Amino acid sequence: MGDFSEKFIYKKYDKYSESTYKNRCNNNVDQCMKLYGLTIEKVAEYYGNRKKEAEMVTKIEGFIGGIFTGYLTEGLSVLASGIVGGVVGEGLNYVNNSVPSSDNINILKEIQVKIAISEIERQRKIQADGIYYSESQVLGDIANRAKRQKLTEKDLGIVNSRIIGKKIDMSELNKRVSLYNKYNSKKSEQEKVDIYIIPRKTIPIIRQLNFKSSRP
């Protein structure tokens, strides 16, 4: 499902959004909306979700800060506050400052579209991480074997024995192995994400498999 930082820290995705807005969309809101297939309603939804998450993180920070300072002497409370601000704050405080607004309707629309793009890319990364992890648990050694020889029905049986629920056929196995090995061959994060998630969408190219905790 992606790690904590992917869920709550947006800085790298906001930077990607800024770059996309400038270089792919020529600083044009409508071009970016078209590129990502966004509607006004979807933009508002992404912006609203970011805002809700920021509000939740504010509460988390307060709770963690209370735990740290509540069990320490008064003399150490200031130090503890500094630790919380440094360790927790760098990541979580960024969320609180990542939902800007404006009274100017055109500026606000630009802000919201940039945040929508950032959120889409963040969610794509989380989805791709989840699929890759499950594929590594299900395919693993089989994918390595496929680099050297053609897979057999025996290989398919091993893979299906690791899956909970709906099984896959040989055609799907070969497709998944191909995607898995392509993912591992890519260098950039964006290229890896595009292997499993349709570019600029939050639509997976393959379904995520449920796997057994101890595999054969």
Side-chain angles (χ1 to χ4, degrees):
M1 290 295 292
D3 61 21
F4 181 86
S5 63
E6 299 298 343
K7 292 180 180 178
F8 291 104
I9 299 178
Y10 314 118
K11 190 172 292 185
K12 68 178 178 180
Y13 303 105
D14 286 351
K15 286 181 178 178
Y16 181 87
S17 176
E18 287 284 352
S19 176
T20 299
Y21 185 79
K22 178 181 178 181
N23 300 317
R24 293 292 302 275
C25 305
N26 299 312
N27 297 309
N28 185 291
V29 168
D30 293 331
Q31 283 189 33
C32 267
M33 290 182 67
K34 183 177 180 180
L35 181 66
Y36 275 80
L38 289 165
T39 63
I40 292 294
E41 291 75 19
K42 287 301 293 182
V43 167
E45 181 181 334
Y46 280 117
Y47 181 79
N49 288 342
R50 168 79 71 90
K51 190 172 183 179
K52 288 177 184 176
E53 204 164 78
E55 291 169 352
M56 179 186 71
V57 167
T58 301
K59 294 177 182 178
I60 291 174
E61 284 188 293
F63 176 72
I64 294 175
I67 291 175
F68 266 84
T69 58
Y71 288 95
L72 296 175
T73 65
E74 184 176 348
L76 291 176
S77 291
V78 174
L79 175 61
S81 296
I83 293 172
V84 172
V87 178
V88 180
E90 183 177 357
L92 300 187
N93 276 335
Y94 180 76
V95 181
N96 301 334
N97 299 319
S98 67
V99 196
S101 187
S102 174
D103 293 330
N104 184 304
I105 189 170
N106 291 322
I107 294 176
L108 179 60
K109 185 178 180 182
E110 178 183 326
I111 290 170
Q112 290 179 332
V113 167
K114 288 178 180 177
I115 285 178
I117 293 172
S118 176
E119 286 297 288
I120 288 170
E121 294 301 336
R122 181 175 69 105
Q123 289 178 22
R124 292 181 70 244
K125 176 62 164 59
I126 292 171
Q127 287 178 295
D129 284 351
I131 292 175
Y132 176 73
Y133 180 72
S134 65
E135 292 294 281
S136 68
Q137 298 301 304
V138 170
L139 301 177
D141 53 325
I142 302 295
N144 287 328
R145 189 179 306 160
K147 297 176 183 178
R148 304 186 301 272
Q149 62 191 53
K150 184 177 179 180
L151 296 180
T152 66
E153 290 293 329
K154 181 180 179 181
D155 295 317
L156 177 62
I158 292 172
V159 168
N160 276 326
S161 70
R162 299 170 178 171
I163 298 172
I164 298 173
K166 186 179 179 181
K167 310 301 182 183
I168 62 175
D169 58 23
M170 184 59 78
S171 176
E172 186 174 349
L173 172 60
N174 285 323
K175 177 181 179 180
R176 286 178 177 273
V177 164
S178 175
L179 291 175
Y180 181 79
N181 287 333
K182 282 181 182 178
Y183 182 101
N184 286 324
S185 72
K186 298 300 181 182
K187 301 298 182 182
S188 76
E189 180 178 288
Q190 199 63 44
E191 287 180 316
K192 288 178 179 290
V193 171
D194 288 347
I195 294 297
Y196 285 132
I197 313 295
I198 293 175
R200 295 178 292 279
K201 306 291 183 185
T202 55
I203 302 172
I205 291 172
I206 57 174
R207 67 185 174 93
Q208 184 169 338
L209 299 173
N210 294 318
F211 58 89
K212 297 176 182 178
S213 57
S214 57
R215 69 185 193 186

